[in-house]
Amino acid sequence: MLFLRLLLFVISFGFLGVAAIVVLYDIYLAFELNRILRRSERQPEKVAADQAAAAPTPPATARSSFRLPPRSAGPRRAIRWSAAAKLVVAAVLCSMMGKSILVVPDGHGAVRISQVSGVRPGTLYPGTHLIVPLVERAELYDIRDKVYSTTASENPRDKGLEVLTVEAREGLSVGLAVTVRYRLDPRHLDYVQANLPQPIDQQIVAPIVTSIFRDLGPNYVVRDVFSTKREEFHERAAQAITARLAEDQIVVKEVLLRKVQLPEEYAQGLQGLLLKEQEDDRVTVDQSIEQKKVKIAESQAEAQKVRQIKHAEADARTRVLMAQAESDSMQYTLPLKQKQIEQSRLEAEARKQTTIEDAEAAAQARVKNAEAEAQAKVIDSKAEKERRTLLAETQNAETIKGAEAAAQAKVIDGKAEKERQNLLADAEANEIRQTSQADAEKLQLEASALKANPMLVQLTVAQRLSDRVQIMMVPTDGKFFFTNDVLKSVQGAAGMAGMNDPPTRASGRP
């Protein structure tokens, strides 16, 4: 929309420029035409003057009767005022359309002010809006956060900032460095435009902030403002500023008390007092440190005494426990030794018994192994004998069966060969019968086809004459064509065959 607005203004100026150019061009042409006409009028005058100079002087009546034609009072060419007026009207319309488009930038708000009814309610937020040109205008307001700051004393680095000083209860002046962050309430910009003085920063915010701090200053002494009640002073001022500016539709975000500048004399006295308090505090601290050292020494001696007593008691208890442990160990040592001897004797007996049992088991195993080997040899010999017997019997049976199978195979082959020959003969006979029957039927069909369409003979002859002949030109009357005789003979043979065929042959039986 911003581009459209700019484009409308450019078009408006373009129309105005074109209108001015048209008018100026017409005026220029009109003056050029007048100049040319004047030049053409002067030439007859000059000729008449020359003639008058050459001729004798006419009488006065004759000279007075000669007059020049009157010169035109205005330009001979009309100026296009109507076209120029139309262009001006178009320019005015484009300008009005451009002025009717209002573009509110980011961080701003606008209020419509009517020339008839005054400030109109509602806020125009960032974006594009339409207004009535020449009747309404828009007033922009910055609705972003703003900062109002003061300084506590004159400082070259803080140029342009107001020095804020307040009087404490003692009558001393205290400098305050304050920062207030605020913004206009965008929902009530119409109220701000209609009721508040402009600019708001200088006319409202600055006087309210300074007056509130100066009103609260006499309620506190300098030392309270500087140290003990600084937070309370800051909170009360922030609450009062927020409430007071909220009445004027100004939203306060934050109030900061950056610095408190004390008077120079008070600062020097306070510094001396602080030094004395620090000295007093140092002495008090030294005394407390010495007392603590004494207490620490006493507690260390007491702890050393307690540690020695505890160490002696621990040594006595350790010796008693060691003696008791030795006596207890002697009580348990003898039974343990006896148990160890008994266990060694039992282990020796167990090893002896295990050795005897192992020897007996080995002898029995060797006997059993010998018996098993003998039985295995006997079984193997019997199995070998039976295997050889069965092998001989199997070979004899296979020989006999092979001879019988060969004889039976020869007989079967002879029968199969005979049957095959019979079947081949039957098949050949059947094939001959079927072929002859098919040929007879083919001849009958060809005869009937030739009878119905005699031109097939010519087609057949043309196809069988040569592989390279594809088309034959035949006279329409059939004269001098060598197949006419063949066609007639074939048709006659076909007719005779149809009359001489018996009924069985016509029916297709062999």
Side-chain angles (χ1 to χ4, degrees):
M1 296 301 290
L2 186 61
F3 174 75
L4 178 60
R5 186 170 183 267
L6 180 61
L7 181 62
L8 290 173
F9 281 122
V10 171
I11 293 173
S12 174
F13 286 117
F15 282 150
L16 289 176
V18 171
I21 290 171
V22 168
V23 173
L24 293 176
Y25 181 71
D26 289 345
I27 293 173
Y28 170 75
L29 291 180
F31 278 104
E32 285 294 324
L33 182 60
N34 290 338
R35 185 173 60 81
I36 293 170
L37 293 175
R38 290 194 194 98
R39 184 182 298 172
S40 61
E41 290 175 357
R42 287 172 184 169
Q43 290 179 356
E45 292 178 0
K46 187 175 181 181
V47 171
D50 293 339
Q51 292 177 358
T57 304
T61 57
R63 189 170 56 249
S64 61
S65 63
F66 178 75
R67 293 181 182 180
L68 295 175
R71 190 173 56 182
S72 59
R76 303 292 179 87
R77 177 182 172 85
I79 299 175
R80 290 175 289 179
W81 294 107
S82 59
K86 292 178 181 179
L87 291 173
V88 170
V89 170
V92 170
L93 291 177
C94 291
S95 178
M96 291 298 102
M97 291 174 64
K99 288 183 178 181
S100 65
I101 299 174
L102 174 64
V103 179
V104 181
D106 292 337
H108 292 74
V111 178
R112 290 175 296 178
I113 303 173
S114 175
Q115 303 296 333
V116 179
S117 59
V119 179
R120 297 188 61 183
T123 302
L124 303 179
Y125 291 95
T128 304
H129 306 276
L130 296 176
I131 60 175
V132 180
L134 302 178
V135 178
E136 294 180 349
R137 65 181 180 88
E139 187 71 26
L140 291 178
Y141 285 93
D142 191 352
I143 58 176
R144 294 173 294 186
D145 290 352
K146 299 180 182 179
V147 176
Y148 170 73
S149 298
T150 63
T151 182
S153 61
E154 294 290 344
N155 192 345
R157 294 179 300 177
D158 298 332
K159 293 182 179 180
L161 297 181
E162 181 183 357
V163 178
L164 177 59
T165 57
V166 299
E167 292 184 359
R169 185 179 298 174
E170 300 94 334
L172 298 175
S173 297
V174 181
L176 300 179
V178 178
T179 297
V180 179
R181 187 163 66 95
Y182 65 95
R183 62 181 298 217
L184 296 177
D185 190 352
R187 298 172 298 178
H188 302 285
L189 292 182
D190 50 353
Y191 173 82
V192 173
Q193 174 65 27
N195 299 283
L196 300 183
Q198 304 294 332
I200 296 175
D201 303 340
Q202 301 175 4
Q203 299 294 331
I204 295 178
V205 177
I208 289 176
V209 172
T210 55
S211 63
I212 288 176
F213 275 103
R214 286 168 181 166
D215 291 342
L216 291 176
N219 297 327
Y220 298 90
V221 297
V222 176
R223 190 167 185 177
D224 292 342
V225 174
F226 181 74
S227 59
T228 58
K229 295 185 179 181
R230 180 171 179 171
E231 187 65 26
E232 178 185 346
F233 177 72
H234 170 234
E235 290 180 357
R236 289 182 62 184
Q239 292 176 1
I241 291 171
T242 303
R244 178 64 185 82
L245 292 179
E247 296 177 357
D248 295 329
Q249 308 304 326
I250 299 174
V251 180
V252 178
K253 295 293 188 66
E254 191 176 13
V255 178
L256 300 177
L257 182 58
R258 304 194 316 274
K259 182 180 178 181
V260 177
Q261 182 71 33
L262 298 176
E264 186 176 356
E265 298 82 1
Y266 187 85
Q268 293 177 357
L270 183 61
Q271 185 175 4
L273 180 62
L274 291 175
L275 291 175
K276 290 181 180 179
E277 289 181 353
Q278 290 177 0
E279 186 68 21
D280 187 14
D281 293 339
R282 186 180 64 79
V283 173
T284 303
V285 170
D286 291 341
Q287 291 178 357
S288 62
I289 290 172
E290 293 296 332
Q291 292 177 0
K292 289 180 180 179
K293 287 181 178 179
V294 172
K295 290 181 180 179
I296 289 170
E298 293 176 355
S299 61
Q300 289 178 351
E302 187 69 23
Q304 185 66 23
K305 180 180 178 181
V306 171
R307 283 197 295 271
Q308 291 177 357
I309 295 172
K310 295 291 185 181
H311 185 67
E313 291 178 354
D315 290 341
R317 289 179 181 177
T318 302
R319 287 193 292 272
V320 171
L321 292 174
M322 290 177 64
Q324 290 178 357
E326 289 178 357
S327 63
D328 293 338
S329 64
M330 292 301 293
Q331 292 177 1
Y332 291 104
T333 302
L334 293 176
L336 182 61
K337 294 293 184 181
Q338 292 177 359
K339 289 181 180 179
Q340 290 178 354
I341 293 169
E342 184 67 23
Q343 184 177 1
S344 300
R345 186 178 62 80
L346 293 174
E347 289 178 354
E349 291 179 356
R351 285 195 296 273
K352 179 180 179 181
Q353 186 67 25
T354 303
T355 303
I356 294 169
E357 291 178 356
D358 291 341
E360 292 177 354
Q364 292 177 2
R366 284 195 294 273
V367 172
K368 289 182 179 180
N369 288 334
E371 292 177 355
E373 289 177 357
Q375 291 178 1
K377 288 180 179 180
V378 172
I379 292 169
D380 289 340
S381 61
K382 291 180 179 180
E384 182 66 21
K385 182 180 179 180
E386 291 178 357
R387 186 181 65 80
R388 290 179 179 179
T389 303
L390 290 174
L391 182 60
E393 292 176 356
T394 303
Q395 290 178 352
N396 293 331
E398 289 179 354
T399 303
I400 295 167
K401 289 181 179 179
E404 293 177 355
Q408 292 178 359
K410 289 180 180 180
V411 173
I412 292 169
D413 290 339
K415 292 180 179 181
E417 183 65 23
K418 187 177 180 180
E419 290 179 358
R420 187 177 66 81
Q421 292 177 358
N422 294 331
L423 291 173
L424 288 174
D426 293 340
E428 289 177 357
N430 191 15
E431 183 179 0
I432 293 169
R433 287 194 299 270
Q434 295 292 335
T435 304
S436 61
Q437 183 178 358
D439 292 338
E441 291 178 356
K442 180 179 179 183
L443 290 173
Q444 291 178 2
L445 292 174
E446 288 178 354
S448 60
L450 290 172
K451 187 177 181 180
N453 191 2
M455 297 299 293
L456 291 175
V457 177
Q458 299 179 9
L459 177 62
T460 305
V461 173
Q463 290 177 350
R464 294 183 180 181
L465 281 175
S466 175
D467 296 336
R468 291 176 292 181
V469 177
Q470 297 181 356
I471 299 173
M472 295 180 65
M473 304 297 293
V474 180
T476 57
D477 55 357
K479 295 180 180 180
F480 307 109
F481 186 50
F482 66 93
T483 58
N484 287 336
D485 298 334
V486 178
L487 180 59
K488 291 177 181 180
S489 62
V490 170
Q491 289 178 355
M496 294 298 293
M499 291 185 294
N500 296 330
D501 282 341
T504 56
R505 187 67 176 267
S507 62
R509 295 181 183 177

